[in-house]
Amino acid sequence: MTLSVNDVKQIAELAYIKVSEDEAKATLVQLSDIFNLIETMQTVDTSQIEPMSHAQDVVQRLREDVVTESDQRELFQSVAPQIEEGLYLVPKVIE
Amino acid sequence: MFNDSLKQLSKRLADREISSVELTTEFLKRIKQLNPQYNAFITVDDEKALAQARIADQKIATDKAIPLTGIPVAQKDIFCAKGWLTTCGSKMLSNFVSPYDACVIERFNQAGAVNIGKTNMDEFAMGSSNETSFYGPVRNPWDVAAVPGGSSGGSACAVAARMAPVATGTDTGGSIRQPAALCGISGIKPTYGTVSRYGMIAFASSLDQGGPMAKSAEDLALMLNVMTGFDARDSTSLQRETEDYMRNLEKPLSGLRIGLPKEYFAEGMSSDVEKAVEQALGEYRKLGAETLEVSLANSSLSIPVYYVLAPAEASSNLSRFDGVRYGHRAKAYENLGDMYRKSRAEGFGAEVKRRILIGTYVLSHGYYDAYYIKAQKLRRLIAEDFKRAFTHCDVIMGPTAPTVAFDIGEKSSDPIQMYLSDIYTSGASLAGLPGMSIPIGFGEKNRPVGLHIVGNYFAEARMLNVAHQYQLVTDWHQQAPDL
Amino acid sequence: MQWEIVIGLEVHTQLSTQSKIFSGASIAYGAMPNTQACAVDLALPGVLPVLNRGAVEHAIKLGLAVGAKINSPSIFARKNYFYPDLPKGYQISQYELPIVEGGNICIQVGETEKYIRLTRAHLEEDAGKSLHEDFHGMSGIDLNRAGTPLLEIVSEPDMRSSAEAVAYAKTLHALVRWIGICDGNMQEGSFRCDANVSVRPRGVEKFGTRCEIKNLNSFRFLEKAIDFEVDRQIDILEDGGTIRQETRLYDANKDETRTMRSKEDANDYRYFPDPDLLPVEISPAWIDQLKSVLPELPQARRARYISEYDLSAYDASVLTSSREIADYFEAVAKQLPAQAKLCANWIMGEISARLNKEDMDITACPVPPEKLAALLARIHDGTVSGKAAKTVFECMWSGELDQDVDAIIETKGLKQISDNSAIEKLVDEVLAANEQQVADYRNGKEKAFNALVGQVMKATKGQANPTQVNAILKKKLS
């Protein structure tokens, strides 16, 4: 598999990370090496194997439907970059 | 006193030989003295630590002390601690004062332990050398030119340099065990699901597991008694009976079957590491253990599999860092999208960005089956290898890392070489098995070597027994760098 | 060319739980911004989701009500995209193995019944809200809604007109309220529709390119948006153009749909199983337990009303349009099983009209079912005439005399005269006083009979039983 600088930029766009042309080029070299390493996975036939998502074969525990949380807005917003009237402010959302 | 075990420190406290405030003050002094050079701590807060020490002293005075009451514990900066700057080694969280406590922090608070400071780490736990930290590299106490390992490098350094009696770490592919090995201390990553992940900033959710780092197996056992246990806030936390990890320490090792994966001893291990491992195995045979060859046929795939699954989960876990509700927000931006992209570009370091990109790619349309699903299938094969091996043996042993600590800067420009540091540890992570590292001597440049012990699911007490018995007849774990 | 319209609906129903789907924060509507957004909802570093049993139970109930398969295990997946109202940068949703798969819903358009198949229904969390009032050129984010449990119910493209789509949406709306899993409040966004619309030449099997219309928060908008979109697509195709697959937004003010994003701009959501959540296992015992608490479903009830109460399909359908109406009817009809038609007529007529006039729900109806039944019993036994009963009903509505039917009839003097001898006496008097009309009748003028009835009624101030008056008059004149 070969990646292009354009691929790197597209992935960065999906990941919402701004990359310059130079960064994309440098990243391409490293990613290509890493993907070569990853490609070694393809040497093993896994057609009969079930994917393993979790380390333990257990099922989801369920929480009872009760309200346990109270208002902590002031505390939580003490670390917010920008707030007003209890709202988190962001550059204008255009729909 | 700095070399004391937890038992010894607890006894001093119980005997009123020293107060927790005095003990805490001594360690804070040592941190002040050594940290400028070693950079093991990101945040030290004398006032907060001493306040906790005072509370501990009251408990001791009223005979309400339990193990660890009044003991200073260094906390990896991945654990959210209320009122503490919690950075995860990242610029992204360089202004994040956590509004809540992680489960692990709560447990130490309940035990009456003293948070002596937040330790340095690879950014978002991504790294094996502590060089990816926004707060600069940590130095290895045995040799300032060497890395301490990572990602829990700050914790490993703090314990090795005796800046803290014990510390916490987290391990996703080897982040407790590899730095423990490189710094000549003991560390254990318990079975996945044993220590709550609530409040532990996520790297790769299906692999992340907290655990203790200490000078000895006995100290690790005491730490695990505090750290483990069911937590309803973590869906992957396992509901099990409380166990006392001290219970098996004194059992003799006769009849212990030690599996040696032939794949580990085939190639890649440096000769100094191999020599130390052989010597340690010799010691175990003397203790009555037998060694036998086992096979982990797919072990060579654990690094590729790990570097698909961990980045995939990380790419999604790190999406919440967007500069909207907390964390770094770019100063200048043109619009909403630009604010996101710049905040993330500025807030994350190179390695974190690299892994986000890998993860984003392997999950993206058209590649999901070839990479992500494929890796999950191989993960099962790797886990089954271990399962099979454990029908023949009680524990699996080998080196923790292929080499002793490498020099700072030596591998930082070559991600692949860096990734291979976890070649022996990532398998147990993928399988969710407990793994630990104990010091077994010194290799090249007089840098420490660690022995990797992997046990079956929930075999921590047995592994600690295996390590403790070795530490009763050797003194590698008591050796400290001359600082 | 004859065009066939193809519509599939995706409906987001907000589940009426107490707490959020993955946290213990309240989902109550209308709280101050961000006061119901807890650490988990805000996606603080290190927090983790734990699934709400209530949300799962609501989903299972829907599955049972539509005859679907309940998947066990069912898996939660992350849908990754960035938006300020999505704190984690991913939405926890379901992709493979949704909790509900298949099933169908029977709709009625006019006199015809049609089954609409469901593809699936999956659990997911709602996002927060972006407020666009101007904060110095910035937007405000309120995350109270983030994490509210949603059940997204996806239909097959089985609908062939906007009327069918509306009928489906209404039936589904009634159903989710009926089984108590959603309050159905469309103004508050508890029931939101997206419509997938395409057209194809009649007789052609292959589907046309579809457009998804978002933001349809009323049945009227749903209908209008589909009608507009169908016309738009047909116009393009008849002009020789092609339809672009895209997401469109319905603008109610302009009554039009417009492009929101094209397929090319569509996000690559990178779905993968959420490693923070384990497979959900739903045991047969759990399903059985929920089955046992599920109320009798509208369709079953409709069928029963037809067979048990001998109602028409139309009446049964109206009376089962909501569980509250159906329960009201049943409470009345239980007292007068033989007069179910009378009960139905009153509920669909007098009660419904009165409720409409006051803009009230049947649950707020001031006349309780047992009081209405008492009144209807008095109509049936001839104590009051239908006309007088309406007067009694008005008194009951306004709460007069403790809604005691007999007391009202007595006090207001509304009792019907049913005493044969008394009526006979009256008839004799009327006949004696109206010789001309008696003669006219005997000469074949049928109309004269009605005039005589009128005279008798007038003499009794309308209180004589008209059936008896008729019979007695007939006898005397024969």
Side-chain angles (χ1 to χ4, degrees):
Chain A
M1 185 206 65
T2 42
L3 280 172
S4 68
V5 174
N6 225 22
D7 291 332
V8 173
K9 286 190 199 157
Q10 259 177 26
I11 304 166
E13 179 51 32
L14 259 184
Y16 267 40
I17 294 175
K18 199 180 179 85
V19 289
S20 68
E21 191 71 28
D22 285 350
E23 283 172 315
K25 277 181 189 156
T27 305
L28 173 65
V29 178
Q30 289 160 335
L31 289 194
S32 299
D33 284 352
I34 294 162
F35 276 101
N36 285 337
L37 176 74
I38 289 172
E39 281 300 318
T40 58
M41 292 195 312
Q42 310 302 341
T43 57
V44 182
D45 175 21
T46 51
S47 50
Q48 302 303 311
I49 313 293
E50 274 296 300
M52 175 174 164
S53 297
H54 297 280
Q56 298 287 342
D57 197 13
V58 282
V59 298
Q60 178 63 35
R61 197 167 9 86
L62 301 170
R63 186 176 60 74
E64 293 310 312
D65 178 24
V66 284
V67 174
T68 54
E69 300 300 316
S70 52
D71 173 24
Q72 295 192 75
R73 184 174 80 181
E74 202 177 324
L75 174 65
F76 293 149
Q77 294 197 334
S78 65
V79 290
Q82 204 177 348
I83 48 162
E84 193 169 313
E85 293 172 27
L87 298 162
Y88 293 96
L89 291 197
V90 294
K92 201 142 195 67
V93 177
I94 297 154
E95 280 188 28
Chain B
M1 184 196 68
F2 289 120
N3 288 316
D4 276 3
S5 70
L6 288 182
K7 262 190 179 170
Q8 287 166 323
L9 288 176
S10 288
K11 188 167 186 306
R12 285 182 201 264
L13 288 167
D15 293 347
R16 315 290 198 270
E17 187 189 318
I18 191 169
S19 70
S20 176
V21 167
E22 287 161 348
L23 185 65
T24 302
T25 306
E26 285 306 308
F27 276 101
L28 286 171
K29 265 194 225 161
R30 191 166 167 89
I31 292 170
K32 296 257 143 50
Q33 178 204 335
L34 294 174
N35 199 51
Q37 187 173 10
Y38 291 97
N39 200 25
F41 288 88
I42 292 174
T43 305
V44 179
D45 188 324
D46 294 19
E47 239 171 77
K48 281 202 183 71
L50 289 169
Q52 280 189 308
R54 278 190 288 275
I55 294 169
D57 280 333
Q58 280 165 15
K59 280 188 185 171
I60 295 165
T62 52
D63 291 323
K64 282 176 193 147
I66 50 175
L68 263 70
T69 301
I71 303 287
V73 178
Q75 299 287 358
K76 186 176 181 179
D77 208 21
I78 201 168
F79 290 105
C80 287
K82 191 171 179 175
W84 286 77
L85 183 67
T86 300
T87 70
C88 220
S90 181
K91 179 179 178 184
M92 184 58 89
L93 290 177
S94 54
N95 57 4
F96 181 69
V97 176
S98 178
Y100 79 106
D101 277 328
C103 176
V104 163
I105 298 289
E106 277 176 1
R107 286 175 170 276
F108 279 109
N109 288 346
Q110 275 155 21
V114 173
N115 183 349
I116 195 79
K118 305 291 296 287
T119 61
N120 203 343
M121 55 182 286
D122 277 301
E123 184 181 9
F124 285 107
M126 299 178 192
S128 306
S129 68
N130 226 297
E131 291 164 292
T132 73
S133 171
F134 173 66
Y135 296 90
V138 177
R139 294 183 182 268
N140 191 317
W142 293 94
D143 186 339
V144 291
V147 302
S151 66
S152 311
S155 289
C157 172
V159 173
R162 309 301 192 237
M163 287 187 269
V166 284
T168 57
T170 61
D171 189 314
T172 306
S175 279
I176 286 176
R177 294 161 285 163
Q178 186 258 14
L182 269 49
C183 288
I185 63 161
S186 305
I188 184 166
K189 174 201 94 78
T191 306
Y192 181 85
T194 307
V195 172
S196 168
R197 293 186 298 115
Y198 189 79
M200 190 175 108
I201 300 175
F203 161 16
S205 313
S206 80
L207 301 165
D208 295 343
Q209 188 60 199
M213 303 176 83
K215 295 186 286 291
S216 68
E218 184 190 74
D219 284 1
L220 290 179
L222 278 166
M223 287 282 280
L224 273 187
N225 278 351
V226 173
M227 292 177 78
T228 59
F230 173 67
D231 179 14
R233 295 165 299 184
D234 173 1
S235 295
T236 60
S237 173
L238 299 168
Q239 277 171 297
R240 304 182 69 247
E241 297 238 336
T242 322
E243 49 177 310
D244 175 11
Y245 291 96
M246 301 285 282
R247 69 185 189 278
N248 285 342
L249 291 183
E250 306 305 332
K251 283 191 180 167
L253 295 188
S254 56
L256 176 76
R257 296 168 304 165
I258 299 173
L260 306 174
K262 60 178 182 196
E263 293 80 6
Y264 287 4
F265 291 86
E267 53 183 319
M269 200 192 311
S270 63
S271 57
D272 56 335
V273 169
E274 191 169 4
K275 202 175 134 208
V277 170
E278 284 304 339
Q279 269 174 9
L281 292 174
E283 209 62 59
Y284 272 109
R285 287 186 197 102
K286 274 195 252 166
L287 286 166
E290 56 163 312
T291 55
L292 56 128
E293 187 181 272
V294 293
S295 173
L296 301 173
N298 295 289
S299 64
S300 68
L301 290 170
S302 61
I303 289 291
V305 168
Y306 178 83
Y307 277 95
V308 170
L309 298 181
E313 293 181 14
S315 70
S316 176
N317 282 336
L318 270 59
S319 291
R320 70 188 56 198
F321 302 106
D322 55 11
V324 174
R325 298 163 316 286
Y326 51 79
H328 175 75
R329 180 186 284 199
K331 289 234 155 39
Y333 44 79
E334 283 160 24
N335 52 41
L336 178 67
D338 196 42
M339 190 276 276
Y340 266 86
R341 289 170 180 82
K342 269 194 188 149
S343 299
R344 289 167 60 78
E346 293 170 6
F348 294 137
E351 180 61 24
V352 170
K353 282 191 245 187
R354 194 147 52 230
R355 296 205 197 183
I356 290 175
L357 295 185
I358 297 168
T360 303
Y361 187 69
V362 300
L363 288 176
S364 67
H365 189 70
Y367 299 98
Y368 180 72
D369 287 346
Y371 292 118
Y372 189 75
I373 294 295
K374 181 84 187 180
Q376 281 200 328
K377 288 177 168 184
L378 290 168
R379 180 178 186 182
R380 187 172 297 282
L381 288 183
I382 289 165
E384 282 170 358
D385 283 349
F386 278 104
K387 204 171 159 188
R388 229 178 341 264
F390 281 122
T391 62
H392 303 294
C393 63
D394 304 308
V395 289
I396 289 171
M397 286 187 187
T400 305
T403 64
V404 294
F406 43 91
D407 284 349
I408 292 175
E410 188 181 331
K411 295 185 180 178
S412 50
S413 59
D414 185 351
I416 301 281
Q417 280 313 306
M418 191 69 87
Y419 295 173
L420 291 174
S421 302
D422 289 337
I423 185 143
Y424 301 125
T425 48
S426 51
S429 294
L430 290 166
L433 290 165
M436 72 185 294
S437 182
I438 53 169
I440 52 166
F442 295 87
E444 238 179 68
K445 297 183 185 170
N446 208 31
R447 293 176 184 178
V449 177
L451 178 73
H452 191 215
I453 306 171
V454 179
N456 212 336
Y457 299 104
F458 312 114
E460 289 85 353
R462 178 63 161 159
M463 294 157 66
L464 290 163
N465 160 235
V466 167
H468 180 68
Q469 290 300 309
Y470 175 85
Q471 291 179 338
L472 285 179
V473 296
T474 58
D475 71 348
W476 302 113
H477 65 292
Q478 282 167 339
Q479 299 197 19
D482 191 14
L483 304 178
Chain C
M1 195 184 292
Q2 284 272 44
W3 296 95
E4 185 176 43
I5 304 162
V6 176
I7 304 161
L9 290 189
E10 290 170 19
V11 178
H12 289 89
T13 55
Q14 182 183 311
L15 299 177
S16 27
T17 52
Q18 298 298 310
S19 62
K20 292 188 176 174
I21 184 166
F22 298 117
S23 82
S26 169
I27 66 161
Y29 184 81
M32 293 293 282
N34 291 308
T35 54
Q36 287 177 178
C38 72
V40 173
D41 308 324
L42 293 173
L44 290 185
V47 297
L48 296 167
V50 184
L51 182 58
N52 180 341
R53 176 188 300 277
V56 178
E57 292 196 335
H58 282 14
I60 296 172
K61 282 183 186 171
L62 186 274
L64 292 173
V66 298
K69 178 186 169 202
I70 309 296
N71 275 324
S72 179
S74 179
I75 304 285
F76 282 90
R78 293 184 183 179
K79 179 180 182 181
N80 294 283
Y81 67 96
F82 290 94
Y83 209 72
D85 65 12
L86 187 71
K88 293 187 293 298
Y90 59 84
Q91 178 194 31
I92 305 177
S93 180
Q94 298 198 281
Y95 192 63
E96 282 171 351
L97 295 173
I99 186 153
V100 172
E101 218 170 314
N104 57 62
I105 280 177
C106 180
I107 62 166
Q108 199 153 20
V109 181
E111 285 301 305
T112 37
E113 273 192 355
K114 182 174 174 179
Y115 283 86
I116 307 297
R117 291 168 301 156
L118 298 188
T119 315
R120 58 188 270 154
H122 65 254
L123 283 166
E124 61 185 24
E125 55 180 342
D126 207 346
K129 279 181 184 164
S130 305
L131 305 174
H132 303 294
E133 294 103 82
D134 206 8
F135 294 95
H136 350 282
M138 302 191 88
S139 291
I141 307 294
D142 174 11
L143 297 170
N144 279 350
R145 201 180 63 181
T148 298
L150 298 178
L151 187 65
E152 181 175 340
I153 304 162
V154 184
S155 85
E156 291 286 305
D158 283 355
M159 289 152 272
R160 295 291 173 267
S161 67
S162 59
E164 284 187 9
V166 169
Y168 166 82
K170 282 187 172 168
T171 309
L172 183 59
H173 183 256
L175 179 65
V176 295
R177 292 180 62 230
W178 186 287
I179 60 175
I181 65 167
C182 170
D183 67 15
N185 190 323
M186 295 178 87
Q187 282 80 45
E188 292 175 9
S190 297
F191 190 90
R192 317 196 283 264
C193 302
D194 298 341
N196 281 300
V197 179
S198 66
V199 297
R200 62 182 170 189
R202 203 166 284 280
V204 169
E205 203 177 319
K206 194 171 173 278
F207 290 126
T209 304
R210 67 168 195 270
C211 289
E212 185 184 7
I213 317 168
K214 292 213 172 273
N215 201 24
L216 302 169
N217 56 8
S218 80
F219 297 125
R220 203 166 61 92
F221 291 167
L222 174 67
E223 184 171 19
K224 292 178 96 170
I226 292 172
D227 288 342
F228 174 88
E229 181 60 18
V230 165
D231 287 347
R232 186 188 73 87
Q233 292 187 13
I234 292 175
D235 282 351
I236 291 175
L237 293 170
E238 289 190 338
D239 285 348
T242 49
I243 306 297
R244 233 165 40 119
Q245 190 180 333
E246 59 187 11
T247 304
R248 300 179 68 83
L249 209 59
Y250 177 67
D251 184 333
N253 295 325
K254 294 183 185 155
D255 186 24
E256 61 174 34
T257 67
R258 58 182 154 80
T259 303
M260 196 169 140
R261 56 174 179 263
S262 72
K263 192 195 173 194
E264 291 71 47
D265 305 334
N267 229 317
D268 181 346
Y269 290 123
R270 289 159 284 138
Y271 280 101
F272 76 108
D274 191 328
D276 287 332
L277 292 161
L278 300 163
V280 182
E281 210 160 74
I282 297 155
S283 68
W286 192 13
I287 294 177
D288 285 345
Q289 185 256 321
L290 290 172
K291 227 180 247 169
S292 73
V293 297
L294 207 60
E296 184 186 21
L297 296 172
Q299 230 189 313
R301 201 156 322 173
R302 196 160 71 211
R304 188 163 60 79
Y305 285 3
I306 294 169
S307 64
E308 195 175 318
Y309 295 117
D310 206 21
L311 296 183
S312 70
Y314 174 80
D315 286 357
S317 169
V318 173
L319 290 171
T320 53
S321 60
S322 89
R323 192 169 154 194
E324 290 76 18
I325 292 173
D327 285 348
Y328 190 96
F329 165 74
E330 191 115 38
V332 180
K334 277 244 161 68
Q335 319 261 340
L336 298 165
Q339 308 306 319
K341 176 64 185 159
L342 178 67
C343 302
N345 287 347
W346 266 76
I347 292 166
M348 292 158 62
E350 209 63 25
I351 296 253
S352 159
R354 201 67 172 79
L355 289 171
N356 264 341
K357 193 176 148 199
E358 308 279 340
D359 194 21
M360 276 163 74
D361 193 83
I362 193 146
T363 50
C365 179
V367 181
E370 61 277 9
K371 301 280 186 190
L372 180 67
L375 172 58
L376 301 188
R378 289 290 169 267
I379 298 175
H380 178 60
D381 69 14
T383 308
V384 287
S385 65
K387 192 165 163 244
K390 289 180 185 177
T391 311
V392 179
F393 176 76
E394 276 308 314
C395 296
M396 290 165 83
W397 185 278
S398 47
E400 276 178 57
L401 296 165
D402 286 341
Q403 301 185 319
D404 183 327
V405 172
D406 292 328
I408 295 170
I409 294 170
E410 195 60 50
T411 317
K412 304 273 168 183
L414 296 168
K415 197 165 182 171
Q416 197 163 242
I417 300 169
S418 306
D419 177 352
N420 253 333
S421 58
I423 297 174
E424 249 177 80
K425 199 173 153 239
L426 274 166
V427 169
D428 287 340
E429 283 170 26
V430 168
L431 290 180
N434 294 281
E435 280 176 9
Q436 185 57 46
Q437 270 143 331
V438 172
D440 285 351
Y441 175 74
R442 291 206 161 118
N443 289 329
K445 281 194 181 172
E446 286 287 328
K447 269 191 180 166
F449 184 81
N450 289 340
L452 289 167
V453 172
Q455 291 292 334
V456 178
M457 295 307 288
K458 196 177 161 192
T460 60
K461 292 179 190 143
Q463 279 170 275
N465 183 327
T467 322
Q468 279 171 292
V469 172
N470 268 307
I472 293 166
L473 257 179
K474 278 241 166 85
K475 195 180 80 189
K476 301 252 173 195
L477 292 169
S478 63

